Amino acid sequence: MKGQWMIEFRINRQSGLPTYAQLIAQVKQALRLGILVPGDKLPTAKDVVGELAINPNTVLKAYRELEHEGLVAAKPGLGTFITASLAKPGMAERAALSEELTQWIRRAVAAGLERTDLEALAADTLDAEFGPDTGETT
């Protein structure tokens, strides 16, 4: 994969989240951020397996689930392609929001907070704003 794909999957084997679910979550995140857009091609299962040393069935399961959700379509002999976007209109301001968030993170780190502290703070703030996370992904 190394740079030729719009998405480069990463697996956290200590997360407790099944590998196929991690792949799905990463595709959905890339769709929300506008990194992947309709027409983009996902890496082949063979490429993902070669890069991550995971079972091909794991990749196929993730791609099938994404297809079931209407986000991708498999075209035999050609690959799996993005068919829908999850990006909201407000994501057009992504660069500015990302810069603000980066500055906030740097201030927090300078104040002595670590990643896990920031994750807890962000989750608590998101829960206060939107209600508790149910664990569902859309």
Side-chain angles (χ1 to χ4, degrees):
M1 289 186 322
K2 295 186 174 113
Q4 70 181 5
W5 302 103
M6 300 299 291
I7 187 168
E8 194 165 319
F9 294 115
R10 297 166 315 282
I11 300 302
N12 178 349
R13 300 187 194 285
Q14 284 75 45
S15 75
L17 192 63
T19 302
Y20 82 93
Q22 291 182 49
L23 298 176
I24 292 169
Q26 289 173 46
V27 169
K28 287 181 176 182
Q29 181 176 7
L31 288 169
R32 282 187 184 90
L33 295 174
I35 295 167
L36 289 174
V37 297
D40 285 345
K41 183 179 177 184
L42 289 178
T44 65
K46 181 179 177 182
D47 287 332
V48 176
V49 167
E51 185 72 20
L52 301 177
I54 60 176
N55 188 305
N57 290 327
T58 300
V59 181
L60 296 173
K61 181 175 183 178
Y63 284 13
R64 276 192 307 271
E65 178 64 28
L66 290 164
E67 188 169 18
H68 176 72
E69 292 182 31
L71 299 174
V72 304
K75 297 182 180 178
L78 297 175
T80 301
F81 294 85
I82 300 297
T83 57
S85 174
L86 294 176
K88 302 278 192 290
M91 287 309 289
E93 300 175 9
R94 177 177 162 226
L97 293 169
S98 181
E99 180 58 33
E100 287 179 43
L101 185 55
T102 299
Q103 291 174 10
W104 177 83
I105 290 170
R106 288 180 179 155
R107 285 194 312 271
V109 169
L113 297 177
E114 296 178 357
R115 181 186 180 114
T116 53
D117 301 320
L118 297 179
E119 289 171 348
L121 180 58
D124 185 57
T125 304
L126 288 168
D127 287 350
E129 190 67 26
F130 296 104
D133 184 6
T134 63
E136 292 182 19
T137 56
T138 56

